[in-house]
Amino acid sequence: MESSSNIIDSRSDKNGGKKNHNKYRRDKPWDTADINHWEVAAWDENDGDALPGGRLLEESSFATLFPKYREKYLREVWPLVTRSLDKYKIACELNLVEGSMTVRTTRKTSDPYIILKARDLIKLLARSIPAPQALKVLNDDYHCDIIKIGGLVRNKERFVKRRQRLIGPDGATLKALELLTQCYILVQGNTVSVMGTHKGIKKVRTVVMECMKNIHPVYNIKRLMIMKELEKDPKLKDESWERFLPTFKKKNVQRRKPRQLIEEKQKMAAAASSGATSFGEGGKGAGTKKKKSYTPFPPAQLPSKIDKQLDSGEYFLSERERKSKKLAEKQLDSG
């Protein structure tokens, strides 16, 4: 043990107390600086992309239900969907009896990830996205996310207001969000469907969730606009942008009081001023109130409606007799 520790110490001493981690690292002539390691290469059979064994071992399938009002539209566009999926060797089925769409791999399917893209396609079609737009999700550049907002706000009226706030007047807020994030957004019922890049989808999800938490989308749109301008400056690439971005804090704004409360306050102020003048004119104790004598006992409880009926004997009368008694009292009062 001592000899091995001496060897390690001698090695560290040679390098000035530090280990040389680059000792066995060699140059890689094929790994140049212009290669983007994060780029997702498209699946191309002609370029030599193939599965081990030539095909998938098991069949994968996904199904989703669609609402009744989408049936007519789906029947019209289903030939277009079938043709698009045939290019990727994916089988699809529209079941009008059960109200479902199914996609599955075939023996000819070569791309293992395309079935997940097909699953996203039928999800988007069920959420009222037009077929030409939904078919774009089959491309590698497009991704999708369906944000569930139904259970975030308990009060139905409040939920509708916040959802409308996300859309904005004539869809202006939604359009601004689409331009800033480069995503397609559709607000439908209890969900928000988003199509675009991973980065854009993440931004949209943040705005939507904060809107449901009563933070107006305009604040986040303002931040996104500033961030878009900062991205153009190469000097700020490695710096923090916090000093440029606005910070919005909640403020408890005092609301206007109802008219009756304001009038009561004015009457009380007028009564107080008149009391002060009478005190000045009438001498000592003219405007002061009499102090009540202290008693340790609570005030007597007021009789309830049933107590009053028991005292008058009305409680033991039938419903018909009560009505006749009330009618007689009314006639006496009118007479």
Side-chain angles (χ1 to χ4, degrees):
M1 290 293 287
E2 289 179 5
S3 61
S4 63
S5 63
N6 291 331
I7 291 163
I8 291 163
D9 291 339
S10 63
R11 283 178 184 173
S12 60
D13 289 338
K14 283 179 184 178
N15 297 323
K18 290 182 182 178
K19 288 184 179 180
N20 185 12
H21 293 286
N22 296 326
K23 189 177 178 181
Y24 300 104
R25 192 168 291 176
R26 295 180 181 180
D27 293 331
K28 298 173 185 174
W30 61 88
D31 193 5
T32 55
D34 59 336
I35 295 171
N36 184 11
H37 295 284
W38 296 99
E39 186 183 2
V40 179
W43 184 274
D44 190 5
E45 291 179 28
N46 301 325
D47 199 28
D49 291 333
L51 291 166
R55 64 184 184 87
L56 295 166
L57 295 174
E58 294 288 336
E59 182 190 273
S60 300
S61 64
F62 293 98
T64 186
L65 299 172
F66 60 86
K68 185 73 176 174
Y69 62 85
R70 289 289 288 171
E71 186 180 316
K72 186 183 175 184
Y73 178 77
L74 288 172
R75 284 174 69 181
E76 291 172 3
V77 300
W78 200 248
L80 173 65
V81 175
T82 309
R83 284 197 301 273
S84 301
L85 289 172
D86 280 343
K87 293 175 187 176
Y88 300 98
K89 311 293 190 296
I90 294 287
C92 60
E93 182 189 346
L94 178 67
N95 192 331
L96 298 175
V97 178
E98 293 179 1
S100 66
M101 291 179 282
T102 311
V103 288
R104 62 172 63 86
T105 56
T106 61
R107 292 173 68 88
K108 293 180 181 179
T109 307
S110 60
D111 187 354
Y113 190 71
I114 198 66
I115 186 63
L116 298 177
K117 290 279 189 180
R119 176 201 63 184
D120 292 340
L121 170 64
I122 58 173
K123 273 186 182 180
L124 294 170
L125 287 171
R127 294 312 309 155
S128 298
I129 288 181
Q133 179 66 36
L135 286 167
K136 289 180 183 178
V137 83
L138 295 173
N139 301 329
D140 289 334
D141 301 333
Y142 274 84
H143 307 278
C144 77
D145 187 16
I146 295 170
I147 306 161
K148 294 178 182 178
I149 57 172
L152 298 175
V153 185
R154 289 183 182 180
N155 192 335
K156 185 72 177 174
E157 291 177 8
R158 196 175 292 163
F159 167 72
V160 171
K161 280 182 182 177
R162 289 182 188 177
R163 188 180 61 184
Q164 187 58 37
R165 194 184 293 169
L166 184 65
I167 298 164
D170 299 326
T173 309
L174 205 65
K175 189 69 181 172
L177 199 59
E178 282 181 345
L179 291 168
L180 288 166
T181 57
Q182 298 296 313
C183 291
Y184 175 84
I185 308 165
L186 180 75
V187 181
Q188 171 75 14
N190 292 333
T191 58
V192 178
S193 305
V194 191
M195 283 180 66
T197 60
H198 282 303
K199 195 176 177 182
I201 288 168
K202 192 177 178 183
K203 288 176 183 176
V204 173
R205 178 173 270 277
T206 306
V207 175
V208 170
M209 297 304 279
E210 288 194 353
C211 181
M212 290 294 120
K213 291 176 183 175
N214 203 20
I215 297 169
H216 205 283
V218 170
Y219 299 130
N220 283 307
I221 285 168
K222 194 172 182 181
R223 280 178 69 90
L224 291 171
M225 285 171 72
I226 294 165
M227 285 168 77
K228 195 172 183 181
E229 290 298 318
L230 291 169
E231 281 174 3
K232 295 174 184 177
D233 193 353
K235 294 177 184 177
L236 299 169
K237 189 171 71 172
D238 300 324
E239 292 184 23
S240 176
W241 294 350
E242 288 299 320
R243 57 199 169 108
F244 302 109
L245 299 174
T247 53
F248 301 102
K249 294 179 180 178
K250 281 191 175 182
K251 293 180 181 178
N252 292 327
V253 182
Q254 199 171 13
R255 296 182 182 276
R256 289 184 67 186
K257 291 185 178 179
R259 191 176 173 183
Q260 290 178 350
L261 289 173
I262 295 166
E263 287 176 358
E264 284 177 12
K265 200 173 182 181
Q266 288 173 354
K267 283 178 184 177
M268 284 172 70
S273 61
S274 64
T277 51
S278 62
F279 176 75
E281 291 170 5
K284 209 172 188 181
T288 55
K289 292 180 181 178
K290 289 181 180 180
K291 284 187 177 181
K292 292 179 180 179
S293 58
Y294 171 74
T295 56
F297 306 105
Q301 191 176 357
L302 294 170
S304 65
K305 190 178 178 181
I306 295 167
D307 292 336
K308 287 176 182 177
Q309 286 177 352
L310 285 166
D311 290 339
S312 62
E314 192 181 343
Y315 183 79
F316 303 103
L317 297 174
S318 64
E319 193 66 32
R320 191 174 178 183
E321 287 172 338
R322 282 179 196 169
K323 284 182 181 178
S324 60
K325 190 180 178 183
K326 280 183 182 178
L327 191 67
E329 285 174 0
K330 281 182 182 178
Q331 286 174 356
L332 283 169
D333 291 339
S334 61

